[in-house]
Amino acid sequence: MWRYLRVFGLHAQGSLMAALEYRVGFLTALGMSLIDALWAVGGAWVFYAHRPTLGGWRFEETLVVVGLFFLASGFLDALLQPNLRLLIERIRTGQLDYMLIRPLNPMAYATMQRQRFEKLSSAWVGLAIIGVALMRAPKPPTLSSVLSFAALLLLALLLLYALMALLMALCFWAVDLTNVEELLFGTLETARYPVQAFPEPLRAVLSFVVPIAFVSTVPAEALLGRPNWAWAGYGLAVTLGLLLLSRLVWRAALRQYCGIGG
Amino acid sequence: MQLRRSRLLCAYPALLRFAWKRAAAYRAVFVVALMNAAFPLVMMAIWVKLAGDGPIADFRAEDFVGYYLAAVLVRRLTAVGIAADLERLIHTGELSPHLLRPLHVGHVYLARALAGRGFITIFTALLVGVGVWVTPGAQFDLRASTLLSFAIACGVGLMFEFFVQFAIGSLAFWITQVQGVSAAFQFIKAFLGGYIVPLALFPGDLGRWLIWTPFPINVALPVEILTGRVSEEQVMARLAVGIGWTLLVMVGASLIWRRGLQAYSAVGA
């Protein structure tokens, strides 16, 4: 475990130094995140101009969900997605062989290769939105709700990690996964607003079949002091199941992989 | 040295054929464009649920379905994606061989923009058609006169978007973050131009003011015509506004391009 953290630290340092070469990139990324956030908050604002609640959520409560969406997508864009691009490239060129000879678990190692720290701007914007939303809430969150929020947020990030690891394993069979990737990110768009705001068949699908609700709605409910532990337990089971599945698929993928230049 | 106008028309069939083949070879870009539809469809789902308690402004639940499906279709019909291409051309110096030809690069890109509507557009149109057909109460205004003004509005929207992107792409003569500028414009246009929220639903008079801005030309106007939300005399006025802005942007784009060429010193040229 310690060794993996150190390896991650080394790669992160390299990525950070590369990003610092293009400092304007940080400003551009921040500007993009701000505009994107204005979009989502503006969309919510138009809903509330016509109706007092959205699936039972008040405006500032919905803002917590919006903030969590940006937190999650910043995490995904900055820490996970660059590794997918890199892996596709390495499988295609046969460079993957150099990664496989290292004494590290290939799946863990392949997901910590490259980071794009400028894209974390979405996460900062998300945190800012959550902060503003909490300041407008009638009473501040208690310690226990903050702690359960932190635990459920970790679960959400693990869920995204498992989905991305699974997607990466699929790259061993298909060279171009643009369709699947876009489908994943497209589905994630529904996490912008509380899952209860969606009409019925869709709400059930997002809560149980494609568990996007765990990314933003479930942690937000915990932070607002109304955690739904039965549902969160289901989320934990789904996440652990996906993690296990991604490990199995990775193992199967490596068994049939034969390096191009090797 | 530039081709004379009559010779230019002869060049277009070849340009279009080339652009079409090129578009068919890079199909992945289409998918990205298709997934742009995710956010409007999310908005549609939420509006449909909200309208379950009674109409919002004059939108019933099925009107939202019609509006957003039309928006997804129009977006496919009027989208242009040349700013990033143009930026690469300028930054890498690949522009230089283009300058030697007796043909303005703009024509190559216009052909590319026109050819960017192939199989996926037909597929989208079919899906949207089926979606509207199976939703009870949702409908498009399919009279010949409406379809004619819809086609004109789409054409104006396409040309507007083309010149805007040409102008933004030409900024690459001076700055490096063109894609940021381009994406920022897309975001603002999508929000204020009816792709995310129908203009009529903006609070207060905001929607009525937005009609006079350039943002709704690309999506909102064609969509509102197709869903029968604009009266006939309004169509004329709003098309005129659209054409006016398009001409303005066209002049601006060609000025930026000309100034840019003077600043251009390609590596290796």
Side-chain angles (χ1 to χ4, degrees):
Chain A
M1 185 66 199
W2 194 236
R3 187 167 50 166
Y4 284 97
L5 281 181
R6 225 177 53 221
V7 171
F8 176 76
L10 281 174
H11 281 285
Q13 200 184 359
S15 298
L16 186 63
M17 280 161 76
L20 285 175
E21 287 287 314
Y22 303 95
R23 266 170 241 188
V24 189
F26 282 90
L27 272 183
T28 318
L30 183 64
M32 289 303 308
S33 303
L34 280 174
I35 294 178
D36 195 3
L38 278 180
W39 228 34
V41 175
W45 175 67
V46 178
F47 289 136
Y48 284 96
H50 295 278
R51 290 282 189 271
T53 64
L54 192 61
W57 293 66
R58 291 198 312 277
F59 183 55
E60 64 269 17
E61 294 174 334
T62 295
L63 283 189
V64 177
V65 176
V66 173
L68 270 162
F69 167 78
F70 282 99
L71 195 60
S73 66
F75 169 77
L76 197 65
D77 289 347
L79 302 183
L80 294 181
Q81 215 256 350
N83 293 299
L84 179 69
R85 291 265 146 272
L86 198 69
L87 183 72
I88 293 173
E89 189 62 25
R90 289 198 169 152
I91 293 174
R92 201 174 58 78
T93 58
Q95 279 180 9
L96 185 70
D97 301 8
Y98 298 109
M99 269 172 62
L100 295 179
I101 55 173
R102 306 261 158 88
L104 294 162
N105 175 291
M107 180 178 121
Y109 190 44
T111 48
M112 56 172 70
Q113 290 290 311
R114 187 187 284 170
Q115 292 77 32
R116 295 187 64 189
F117 286 105
E118 70 273 16
K119 301 254 177 182
L120 274 181
S121 55
S122 287
W124 309 138
V125 170
L127 280 176
I129 295 176
I130 296 174
V132 170
L134 288 182
M135 275 193 290
R136 291 185 44 160
K139 55 181 196 294
T142 60
L143 182 65
S144 71
S145 62
V146 171
L147 285 180
S148 44
F149 165 73
L152 289 173
L153 179 62
L154 192 68
L155 187 68
L157 299 185
L158 266 179
L159 177 72
L160 291 177
Y161 179 86
L163 282 174
M164 190 52 102
L166 201 58
L167 193 61
M168 285 171 80
L170 294 179
C171 296
F172 283 88
W173 284 282
V175 183
D176 188 10
L177 274 180
T178 324
N179 293 297
V180 183
E181 192 192 340
E182 290 296 329
L183 202 62
L184 175 69
F185 289 120
T187 319
L188 196 64
E189 291 281 305
T190 53
R192 283 172 186 262
Y193 299 114
V195 76
Q196 290 86 352
F198 290 91
E200 198 33 68
L202 196 56
R203 189 198 65 80
V205 168
L206 294 174
S207 311
F208 298 108
V209 188
V210 196
I212 292 297
F214 296 108
V215 173
S216 57
T217 304
V218 174
E221 281 177 338
L223 188 61
L224 295 167
R226 40 168 207 247
N228 186 341
W229 289 115
W231 199 16
Y234 174 72
L236 181 66
V238 168
T239 306
L240 291 180
L242 276 173
L243 275 175
L244 189 69
L245 182 67
S246 58
R247 277 209 69 161
L248 289 177
V249 177
W250 261 89
R251 200 175 295 167
L254 287 177
R255 202 170 299 142
Q256 60 93 51
Y257 168 78
C258 45
I260 296 167
Chain B
M1 228 181 346
Q2 297 283 318
L3 284 180
R4 270 194 321 236
R5 204 138 293 181
S6 54
R7 299 278 308 276
L8 188 61
L9 281 179
C10 303
Y12 254 84
L15 280 176
L16 282 172
R17 211 164 42 236
F18 170 68
W20 172 261
K21 289 198 168 148
R22 190 181 170 284
Y26 295 97
R27 267 160 299 201
V29 185
F30 286 148
V31 182
V32 177
L34 197 65
M35 284 321 293
N36 269 334
F39 192 23
L41 292 182
V42 165
M43 298 296 281
M44 174 182 96
I46 294 178
W47 281 122
V48 165
K49 164 131 189 199
L50 285 181
D53 313 337
I56 296 171
D58 59 340
F59 279 83
R60 294 162 302 156
E62 55 266 33
D63 296 329
F64 283 114
V65 176
Y67 184 92
Y68 281 102
L69 286 181
V72 169
L73 174 65
V74 166
R75 173 89 186 123
R76 279 302 316 149
L77 288 171
T78 62
V80 179
I82 62 159
D85 263 5
L86 200 58
E87 181 200 16
R88 189 180 45 82
L89 206 67
I90 294 170
H91 282 168
T92 59
E94 282 173 58
L95 176 63
S96 305
H98 281 282
L99 293 178
L100 291 176
R101 294 187 194 161
L103 181 71
H104 195 294
V105 190
H107 295 297
V108 178
Y109 277 96
L110 184 58
R112 200 175 283 179
L114 291 175
R117 266 136 277 281
F119 174 71
I120 297 285
T121 309
I122 298 168
F123 186 63
T124 312
L126 281 177
L127 280 184
V128 166
V130 170
V132 171
W133 190 52
V134 299
T135 311
Q139 51 192 317
F140 289 164
D141 185 354
L142 294 177
R143 283 172 301 164
S145 62
T146 319
L147 286 181
L148 180 67
S149 36
F150 174 70
I152 296 172
C154 283
V156 175
L158 176 67
M159 292 311 288
F160 172 76
E161 183 69 12
F162 171 77
F163 287 119
V164 167
Q165 294 221 9
F166 199 81
I168 292 177
S170 306
L171 294 178
F173 284 116
W174 299 277
I175 63 174
T176 55
Q177 302 284 327
V178 167
Q179 302 211 17
V181 177
S182 169
F185 174 76
Q186 292 302 331
F187 271 122
I188 294 167
K189 189 196 71 185
F191 194 73
L192 298 179
Y195 192 47
I196 303 302
V197 180
L199 296 185
L201 294 182
F202 277 111
D205 283 340
L206 192 55
R208 235 175 299 152
W209 286 106
L210 282 173
I211 288 175
W212 303 102
T213 67
F215 305 113
I217 300 168
N218 192 226
V219 172
L221 180 56
V223 169
E224 287 174 23
I225 291 175
L226 188 61
T227 50
R229 299 195 153 265
V230 199
S231 68
E232 278 183 21
E233 49 274 25
Q234 266 182 316
V235 170
M236 286 306 155
R238 291 186 59 181
L239 275 178
V241 171
I243 292 169
W245 278 110
T246 306
L247 290 175
L248 209 65
V249 177
M250 181 176 88
V251 172
S254 70
L255 279 179
I256 295 177
W257 178 258
R258 221 169 293 162
R259 293 291 298 273
L261 275 187
Q262 288 163 6
Y264 178 65
S265 58
V267 183

